[in-house]
Amino acid sequence: KESLKKKTEEMDALEQRLSATKMIETQVLTKESDLVGEVANFKTKLEEKAIEFDQIKISIAEEADLKEKMELALRAKEVLMVEVSKLKAKLYDKNDLIEDLQAKLTE
């Protein structure tokens, strides 16, 4: 009879340990699931940041391209200003020549 009682107590103790183990297993699985969710969220945020970074790199490249085009336009403007100055000088020379010819004709 005492052997049966001892076996029953051992069984109860094993059931309690099994119950505690299942509870711990449930907590571990819940925590694992939470961590998987957190990792997925982190991965999503990281991918979003990667996209933002790519957009920033594109913007910087476009800005650099625009700056280069502006520099080329400024150089072209300088060249055109030199050409305009040359043409003005020729025009003044022609005006001087015309005035000289008119003066000679009126003499």
Side-chain angles (χ1 to χ4, degrees), residues 18-28:
L18 180 62
S19 177
T21 302
K22 284 185 179 183
M23 195 181 319
I24 291 170
E25 181 183 19
T26 301
Q27 290 172 346
V28 167

Side-chain angles (χ1 to χ4, degrees), residues 22 24 44 53 78 100-101 103:
K22 284 185 179 183
I24 291 170
T44 300
F53 183 70
E78 290 170 4
D100 288 347
L101 288 174

Side-chain angles (χ1 to χ4, degrees), residues 27-77:
Q27 290 172 346
V28 167
L29 290 174
T30 302
K31 187 64 176 175
E32 181 183 28
S33 176
D34 291 347
L35 289 174
V36 167
E38 287 179 31
V39 168
N41 286 339
F42 181 75
K43 184 179 176 186
T44 300
K45 286 179 184 177
L46 194 60
E47 288 169 350
E48 289 170 358
K49 292 296 179 189
I51 290 169
E52 286 178 30
F53 183 70
D54 286 345
Q55 290 171 342
I56 290 170
K57 287 194 315 191
I58 290 169
S59 294
I60 290 171
E62 288 171 348
E63 221 172 278
D65 187 47
L66 186 60
K67 183 179 177 186
E68 187 178 324
K69 287 178 181 176
M70 286 174 59
E71 288 172 357
L72 288 173
L74 285 173
R75 280 193 229 124
K77 178 184 173 188

Side-chain angles (χ1 to χ4, degrees), residues 8 23 54 81-82 86 91:
T8 304
M23 195 181 319
D54 286 345
M81 294 302 284
V82 168
K86 287 179 185 176
L91 181 62

